[in-house]
Amino acid sequence: MDPTGSPLNPLEQALHAARARVLADLIAGQVAEADVVSLVEDSVVQRRWWVEQWPEGAGFVAGLVAQDVQDAILERHGRWPLCPVCSSGDPHALEVEPELGPDPHWVCHQAGVKISPVGALGSATGTHPPS
């Protein structure tokens, strides 16, 4: 429901779910500082316009927000999220797959493995947000 008590329309539901999933991953990665959370909000604002133009893409929003935030973090802070499975070599970031599609996952291309769905990174890294 929105603040007025009305049920959210499907587009707003998709945006709220995307925000929640990416925030959960940021919390799991212990990088949910105020400036990083602002990056999520910026992406949601931009993706709201996108999904209003293409409502059929509502199921793709979580992956797109995750990619937007990942790109913005790279520009300001460095790679995120770092791969939790590769222990040798240079640290590298996970990538979102599919780039444009439903059911986005974090994957490690170097190891060729799917790590976790977007929003469940804590279960893959053993760091869960406080209940």
Side-chain angles (χ1 to χ4, degrees):
M1 292 201 180
D2 71 13
T4 66
S6 301
L8 294 175
N9 68 49
L11 301 181
E12 286 300 315
Q13 288 176 351
L15 290 165
H16 284 285
R19 175 190 291 117
R21 290 173 71 178
V22 174
L23 286 174
D25 286 346
L26 291 168
I27 291 166
Q30 300 177 340
V31 294
E33 302 297 327
D35 64 326
V36 175
V37 172
S38 293
L39 300 174
V40 176
E41 297 306 321
D42 292 345
S43 174
V44 169
V45 167
Q46 293 171 3
R47 293 302 174 178
R48 177 174 282 113
W49 177 88
W50 182 86
V51 79
E52 286 170 350
Q53 305 308 305
W54 189 44
E56 298 81 17
F60 306 166
V61 173
L64 293 171
V65 171
Q67 290 174 63
D68 292 346
V69 171
Q70 184 180 40
D71 291 345
I73 289 174
L74 178 62
E75 289 177 15
R76 297 178 187 192
H77 302 287
R79 286 176 240 143
W80 174 85
L82 293 178
C83 179
V85 294
C86 294
S87 56
S88 61
D90 290 332
H92 56 276
L94 299 175
E95 296 180 30
V96 174
E97 281 194 0
E99 287 186 26
L100 182 62
D103 194 28
H105 279 71
W106 293 110
V107 299
C108 172
H109 284 281
Q110 290 188 14
V113 296
K114 190 182 288 188
I115 304 298
S116 79
V118 168
L121 201 52
S123 63
T125 61
T127 55
H128 300 279
S131 302

